Structures are given as C-alpha cells and as structure tokens.
Amino acid sequence: MTIFYIYPIGFISTIILIYFLTKYILNEKQLYVLKYILYVGYVMLISVVIIPVFIIRPRDAFNIRLYRIENAKVLDREGPCVIVANHQSSIDFIGMMKLWPEHIRYCTILAKKELIWALPFGFSAWLAGLEYVDRKNRDKSTETMQHVTKKVQEKSLRLWVFPEGTRNMTETFLPFKVGAFRLAIQAQVPIVPVVFSSYKSIYNADKATHSFYWRHGCVTIKCLESIDTKGMTIDRDLSRLIEITRQRMIDAYQTIQTITDEKKDN
C-alpha cells in the first residue's frame, strides 16, 4: 500500500519541481540544457520502444511513418524524388516527422555513418531503413550512393538529404555537396527543395558565444516546386542544378519567418 502511494506522489513532486525550476530559478542557458536533455531522452526512449516494431519489418522505409503532418502540398505528388533541405540542428528531426506520414510517406534519409553509434537512436534508425554513408571512404560512399540510386529507381523511393553536409545556423547556406544532385540526375527523378525558417529567434546553441536558449515559437517549413531532371546529364547540368536549387532555397529562406510568442501577441 505504501508503494502504491509513493509512486504518484513522487511523480507529482517531480512535475512541481520542474515547473518551479523552469519558471523561477533556471536562466536561459540552463533552460536550454534541460529542454535539450528532455528532447534527447525522449528520442532515445522512443528509439528503444520502437525497435521491436521495426524488427518485424527491418530496413523498410515505411517504418519511418510515425507522426502526423501539416502542410506540404507539393510532396503529395506521386513518384520518387530527392528531397533536399537546409540543416540547422538535430531538432530538424521534429519538423521532418511533421512532414512524414501524410506527405512524404515512402522515404528514407541519407545520413553520415557516425550517427549509427548514437545508440539507441542510430540502431533504431538503421532498422527503419535510414541509409548511412561513409564520407571518409570514397569507394564505400560511391557504393552506398549507387545502392540508393537503384532503390530510388526500382522501388519508387523518396530520399531526404541535407546537401550542406553539416549543421549550419548562419544567415546563408553553406556550399551544397554534389551527392544528392548527382543521384537525382542519374535516377532522372526531380529535386524537391524544403526550407526550414531560421531558428535563431527561438533556438540557439552557440558554444563560442556561450549563447544557449530554446524558446516557444513556430518554425515555418516551406516546400518549393520540384525541379525536373529529365534529360539532364552530369557533365552538362550538375553544377547548374546545384546552383538553381541552392538559390531558390536561399530566396525562400530570406522570406519565410519563425513566429515567436512576441509576434503572436502583436
């Protein structure tokens, strides 16, 4: 009987403690750390829970269809494509899962090989069908891209890629790597640019300036019109395709906004 009462009392006490910490005690950097720990903990917990589900159907891209989605009409069109998006933080994952079930559907993600060691998430993502590429080994990287190209063509698979290759929260985009665009031309499938508005007003984790915060707000995700690659060749069109895509994404990035609580109040 004692244990029966201890658990709910402990849970309620923890909630009350967290509330007072976040409301009256912690500064913005400490709040950022707490929120980030809770976010990572949540992702890791979900990864553990869904591993048994993914084992039933391992390495199938349908495994990633786990969350509800809002807006992204351009992704409703049938057929394979290469989706390219700007990459600001690991919390991009939240926005991606907002797009998945209704609009993106049968799709996998291209990620750096090192992520597989971020257990249990890395293993769970591998079971889900995520494709890891070894960027330090040219031969293995080429082999992976050829394998993915074949899957895109034969299984009408969609592929999500961050062409900057790393996280970037500056005012402009880093130069795009060629992998996603080379694959799109080889598979003769369209490029679909997806742009996340700047997180700067609601989220920051800058170790150089010791600036850490995670505030309330709403990030805008804009899906741009697809860019057809039919008839394109790598020798003639690769550089132009990269430049067109990057410029369209920069133009969109400069026009869309993240809505903060202050803007909502106004």
Side-chain angles (χ1 to χ4, degrees):
M1 182 65 71
T2 304
I3 294 176
F4 178 80
Y5 286 110
I6 287 176
Y7 283 137
I9 291 173
F11 177 76
I12 293 171
S13 299
T14 301
I15 296 298
I16 293 173
L17 176 62
I18 291 175
Y19 173 79
F20 277 97
L21 284 173
T22 57
K23 194 74 175 177
Y24 302 109
I25 299 175
L26 301 181
N27 59 37
E28 278 206 316
K29 180 177 179 179
Q30 293 166 334
L31 277 172
Y32 161 82
V33 172
L34 176 61
K35 289 181 179 180
Y36 196 82
I37 289 173
L38 291 174
Y39 164 66
V40 171
Y42 172 76
V43 171
M44 294 304 178
L45 176 62
I46 291 297
S47 297
V48 171
V49 171
I50 61 181
I51 282 176
V53 178
F54 287 166
I55 287 177
I56 296 172
R57 189 174 56 192
R59 304 288 295 146
D60 190 327
F62 273 114
N63 288 331
I64 304 178
R65 301 195 311 167
L66 298 176
Y67 302 88
R68 272 186 68 85
I69 304 178
E70 303 168 353
N71 309 324
K73 305 288 184 182
V74 71
L75 294 171
D76 290 338
R77 297 165 189 163
E78 296 296 327
C81 64
V82 176
I83 301 166
V84 293
N86 57 314
H87 187 23
Q88 299 180 69
S89 164
S90 61
I91 67 171
D92 293 339
F93 180 73
I94 300 172
M96 293 166 67
M97 291 304 102
K98 283 289 186 181
L99 289 170
W100 227 263
E102 296 177 14
H103 301 282
I104 295 180
R105 298 182 295 277
Y106 190 53
C107 179
T108 190
I109 306 164
L110 194 67
K112 59 185 180 181
K113 183 181 179 181
E114 292 80 1
L115 189 60
I116 196 171
W117 303 114
L119 300 174
F121 175 79
F123 178 63
S124 179
W126 179 82
L127 284 173
L130 188 144
E131 298 289 346
Y132 290 111
V133 60
D134 188 348
R135 299 183 298 182
K136 298 177 182 178
N137 188 313
R138 188 181 183 90
D139 292 336
K140 287 186 177 180
S141 176
T142 300
E143 183 180 336
T144 299
M145 296 303 287
Q146 289 173 344
H147 168 70
V148 174
T149 301
K150 188 175 181 181
K151 288 178 68 173
V152 169
Q153 291 174 311
E154 296 181 355
K155 297 187 177 182
S156 199
L157 180 70
R158 295 179 174 192
L159 179 68
W160 182 294
V161 182
F162 295 112
E164 291 174 284
T166 189
R167 287 172 287 186
N168 171 40
M169 287 188 65
T170 61
E171 295 305 314
T172 189
F173 295 169
L174 299 175
F176 284 2
K177 298 185 181 301
V178 303
F181 305 93
R182 180 185 293 273
L183 188 152
I185 291 176
Q186 289 175 333
Q188 293 288 280
V189 298
I191 291 283
V192 179
V194 173
V195 184
F196 289 66
S197 62
S198 174
Y199 295 169
K200 278 290 185 70
S201 58
I202 63 168
Y203 176 91
N204 197 34
D206 191 340
K207 294 180 181 178
T209 61
H210 303 288
S211 176
F212 297 88
Y213 55 82
W214 193 341
R215 303 165 183 163
H216 295 291
C218 181
V219 173
T220 301
I221 302 174
K222 185 171 184 178
C223 301
L224 310 184
E225 287 299 318
S226 61
I227 302 172
D228 193 9
T229 64
K230 289 285 178 65
M232 287 189 179
T233 65
I234 292 174
D235 291 339
R236 187 184 68 218
D237 301 299
L238 180 59
S239 297
R240 183 171 62 90
L241 177 61
I242 294 173
E243 183 55 36
I244 290 172
T245 305
R246 184 172 180 273
Q247 191 57 54
R248 288 186 186 180
M249 292 176 68
I250 290 173
D251 291 344
Y253 182 75
Q254 292 173 344
T255 58
I256 59 178
Q257 291 184 329
T258 293
I259 308 300
T260 63
D261 283 356
E262 289 80 3
K263 290 181 180 177
K264 288 180 182 178
D265 294 338
N266 292 336

